[in-house]
Amino acid sequence: MAETGTVFLVGAGPGDLGLITFRARELIAAADVLVYDYLVHPDLVDWCQPGCEIVYVGKKAGFHAVPQSEIEALLVDRAKAGKQVVRLKGGDPYVFGRGGEEARTLAADGIRFEVVPGVTASLAAGAYAGIPLTQRNTSSSLVLVTGHEDPNKHELQVDWAKLGGLRNTTLAIYMGMSRLPDIMTGLQDGGLDPATPVAVVQWASLGRQRSLTGTVATVADAVTEAGLKAPAIIIVGEVVRHQETVDWFEQLSLFGRRVAITRTREGNSGLRAKLEHLGAEVIELPLINVVPDVDPTLLVEIFSELGTYDWIVFTSAHGVKVFFEQVMRAYADIRALGLLRFACVGDATAREIEKYHLKVECRPEAATAEALADALIATDSLDSAKVVVVTGNLNRDTLVAKLEQEGRAIVDLLPLYRTEKLDLSEHPAAHDFRDKGADAVLFASSSAAEAYAAQGDSLKLGPTATVPQCGSMGPQTSASLRELGLAVDFEAAAPGLDELVTALVTHLND
Ligand code: SAH
């Protein structure tokens, strides 16, 4: 029988991916089974290793997608099968997360478990809505309390009147939105001044955060009017007054904007981070998947003559990575490359080559295959030269044809990876995009535009979705977008992620 696995009850934090712990990330990446819920950021799923079993047990306020007993049975079952199980919960697992119940069940079944704390929602609500939760002279205690969204549950009742009688206290109320008027009345019954300030923070820490402030007397009506709903934290106390002076997050230039970005072989985590740092809600569409695909016979053939080539050409950072992995596996010595000269296209590709302390001698200004071929031809070193082009399975024909015909080089192709279209029909990010649309969608390359268009119905917007403005990295990408029948609403002043983000901010805020 398999050795019993371990269950990790892991806090995923309030939503923003940066607020998850290192330990959580490490455990997700190593998990055999990931069980996660509604309040957990869906992109965390992308950190899982291939083959990880991913189970969504999402709950939304008011109804439970999977009953608690079934979740617990699932954890026990997978652990007994010898799996490493990560049970991810929004915020902290032991703060109104039923983590305690799950831990008890595991303990009773003799299953090993660990608990990884997370940033609980009230802390994020304070930080991201500009409300320090304690303050030396006015607020010396902080009460985390549940407002019981489900009146059918037989749970301990909170004595709101008693809480209303506390002085110098901040209340952080979880799950209180559907009973907000009752809660505010209860606090006043206990003697809380109706003029005490209250803030409501929905989706704290995320680009879709919304907040409002009022008083104990007025906040319930204000929430109804503004349409704020769960998940939200209600903060009651004098500390709310500080928001006017110390709010920072909601002031950011892309706060409240939904921006879709595409993930392609160029990668884009840099773009995502830049947008999120400006307060945007980012929807990352993983359009394609890059898988290593090495033909061993061809590899041996080319590697045995590696020293005889004049130039080696890379078209992506991914190609560089896989190439060096193979070189190191075969030779364990960088000198196997002899006096090869390096050519490449794109910043990320050049950076990857330079990591090995190798100089890139030829790199065109524009990040296109044509420009690369032209730049190489312009070196006047191609006639009868031996060139090896390391690529994937896309966008290589023009490059090779040009080098052979115009440059009169002898070109060998070394494909090391394959780019596959991902089926997005079931992906949560695509679902969100179809449902709500976005204020903008950014295309960082022609291949991103092509991969986006190739998705067809998987990215077709629903009737009430916001139609996004299309932003492009530069003339080349714009040309591809137009060819594909997509609009170009704004373009970066020069190719570069910062320039693309600047163009977006200008376009949306005009
Ligand atoms: N274990 C979680 C709480 C789960 S109870 C934690 O430690 O944060 C669910 C409640 O948490 C929601 O009804 C809401 O009150 C609150 N919540 C969770 N994430 C939130 C967020 N990003 N913004 C505001 N409230 C949030």
Side-chain angles (χ1 to χ4, degrees):
M1 214 183 103
E3 200 187 320
T4 309
T6 304
V7 176
F8 298 91
L9 300 174
V10 178
D16 181 281
L17 287 181
L19 296 177
I20 197 158
T21 60
F22 281 117
R23 179 71 177 141
R25 179 158 193 165
E26 191 177 272
L27 289 169
I28 294 168
D32 300 314
V33 183
L34 178 82
V35 183
Y36 76 107
D37 13 271
Y38 167 57
L39 289 172
V40 167
H41 198 298
D43 285 7
L44 290 175
V45 169
D46 295 338
W47 296 345
C48 293
Q49 57 182 344
C52 174
E53 181 193 3
I54 296 167
V55 189
Y56 176 68
V57 291
K59 307 170 181 179
K60 288 202 183 193
F63 86 105
H64 290 222
V66 179
Q68 185 64 21
S69 57
E70 269 178 46
I71 298 176
E72 289 170 20
L74 177 83
L75 300 178
V76 170
D77 175 73
R78 296 303 190 271
K80 283 196 169 154
K83 310 279 189 197
Q84 300 302 313
V85 184
V86 169
R87 167 69 170 119
L88 257 188
K89 287 168 166 295
D92 180 89
Y94 277 2
V95 178
F96 308 126
R98 306 189 77 171
E101 291 162 52
E102 291 172 18
R104 271 203 308 280
T105 303
L106 295 169
D109 279 275
I111 289 165
R112 214 161 11 147
F113 68 93
E114 288 183 22
V115 182
V116 181
V119 174
T120 188
S122 56
L123 303 187
Y128 281 75
I131 302 166
L133 296 176
T134 66
Q135 182 68 34
R136 213 145 44 102
N137 300 321
T138 60
S139 315
S140 52
S141 58
L142 169 63
V143 177
L144 307 189
V145 53
T146 165
H148 298 298
E149 270 174 347
D150 187 351
N152 301 322
K153 266 194 250 157
H154 302 289
E155 286 174 0
L156 206 62
Q157 291 299 305
V158 173
D159 187 340
W160 295 104
K162 203 164 213 167
L163 290 175
L166 299 173
R167 292 295 163 260
N168 307 329
T169 297
T170 304
L171 303 179
I173 306 168
Y174 290 68
M175 295 178 277
M177 292 298 270
S178 58
R179 295 197 48 223
L180 189 57
D182 294 346
I183 293 171
M184 292 300 131
T185 308
L187 293 173
Q188 290 178 74
D189 290 347
L192 190 68
D193 182 351
T196 308
V198 181
V200 176
V201 190
Q202 182 184 13
W203 288 120
S205 84
L206 291 163
R208 63 180 125 147
Q209 173 175 314
R210 296 291 172 276
S211 73
L212 61 78
T213 53
T215 64
V216 171
T218 65
V219 73
D221 286 342
V223 160
T224 311
E225 198 169 303
L228 290 199
K229 296 202 170 68
I233 292 286
I234 302 151
I235 302 176
V236 183
E238 289 303 318
V239 288
V240 170
R241 293 191 200 288
H242 296 285
Q243 191 187 34
E244 277 171 30
T245 42
V246 300
D247 181 32
W248 58 277
F249 184 62
E250 299 192 4
Q251 312 290 332
L252 296 172
S253 58
L254 290 178
F255 177 78
R257 303 296 197 166
R258 280 168 60 88
V259 182
I261 59 176
T262 58
R263 185 174 336 143
T264 65
R265 74 200 157 106
E266 291 85 4
N268 64 4
S269 50
L271 181 56
R272 178 194 197 107
K274 282 176 203 296
L275 295 166
E276 284 181 343
H277 291 156
L278 294 174
E281 176 183 358
V282 178
I283 306 125
E284 194 169 324
L285 302 167
L287 300 176
I288 61 172
N289 198 17
V290 181
V291 281
D293 186 8
V294 181
D295 170 354
T297 320
L298 180 64
L299 191 72
V300 169
E301 226 168 78
I302 290 184
F303 271 21
S304 64
E305 298 179 9
L306 206 49
T308 71
Y309 286 95
D310 299 286
W311 282 97
I312 184 160
V313 181
F314 292 95
T315 57
S316 76
H318 198 79
V320 179
K321 264 186 225 149
V322 184
F323 175 79
F324 280 98
E325 271 164 30
Q326 297 295 337
V327 168
M328 288 307 150
R329 190 173 297 169
Y331 298 102
D333 189 334
I334 198 90
R335 285 170 296 184
L337 298 177
L339 296 175
L340 265 179
R341 302 171 75 183
F342 282 73
C344 80
V345 59
D347 288 349
T349 319
R351 270 200 304 278
E352 199 60 38
I353 296 171
E354 285 157 1
K355 276 189 195 160
Y356 299 91
H357 301 278
L358 293 163
K359 192 171 142 204
V360 177
E361 281 184 67
C362 175
R363 187 180 144 207
E365 201 64 24
T368 68
E370 278 88 358
L372 177 58
D374 288 336
L376 267 166
I377 292 164
T379 61
D380 241 352
S381 60
L382 284 198
D383 203 348
S384 312
K386 278 185 78 180
V387 178
V388 54
V389 177
V390 179
T391 59
N393 57 340
L394 297 177
N395 306 331
R396 59 195 187 188
D397 299 342
T398 340
L399 178 62
V400 174
K402 255 189 135 166
L403 294 177
E404 283 179 337
Q405 284 152 25
E406 290 176 40
R408 287 199 293 277
I410 302 152
V411 182
D412 286 325
L413 203 56
L414 179 58
L416 289 182
Y417 60 91
R418 204 157 21 92
T419 308
E420 293 173 342
K421 180 182 145 195
L422 274 182
D423 176 11
L424 282 190
S425 46
E426 296 297 324
H427 194 281
H431 193 278
D432 181 39
F433 182 75
R434 290 194 296 266
D435 212 27
K436 300 203 209 110
D439 294 298
V441 52
L442 300 182
F443 295 96
S445 67
S446 295
S447 57
E450 281 154 23
Y452 179 89
Q455 284 289 337
D457 280 354
S458 303
L459 293 179
K460 196 165 168 215
L461 295 175
T464 57
T466 307
V467 180
Q469 300 281 299
C470 290
S472 139
M473 183 66 120
Q476 185 79 29
T477 309
S478 297
S480 303
L481 282 166
R482 291 191 185 101
E483 256 167 50
L484 293 161
L486 294 161
V488 179
D489 299 300
F490 59 98
E491 189 182 285
L497 294 182
D498 286 326
E499 288 82 355
L500 183 56
V501 172
T502 306
L504 167 73
V505 172
T506 316
H507 185 76
L508 290 186
N509 293 334
D510 254 0

